[in-house]
Amino acid sequence: MAAVGGTQVQDHVALAEIELCGELIIAASAAEERLSLESIDEVLRVAEERASAQV
């Protein structure tokens, strides 16, 4: 049996992806209709990422 605790590994990219998926799930469950591509981009903050990449 493997020991529990003590060695914690964090994958920050995976954690960020999980957070974004959660935000999409919340937005989709609150919407009355399917999310548009623009709405999905807004939830994922695509415009903010593009703007910061251009600076």
Side-chain angles (χ1 to χ4, degrees), residues 14-37:
L15 292 173
E17 289 178 358
I18 292 167
E19 181 179 343
L20 290 174
C21 286
E23 291 178 18
L24 274 176
I25 291 168
I26 291 168
S29 66
E32 293 183 17
E33 297 181 5
R34 293 180 76 167
L35 293 177
S36 66
L37 293 178

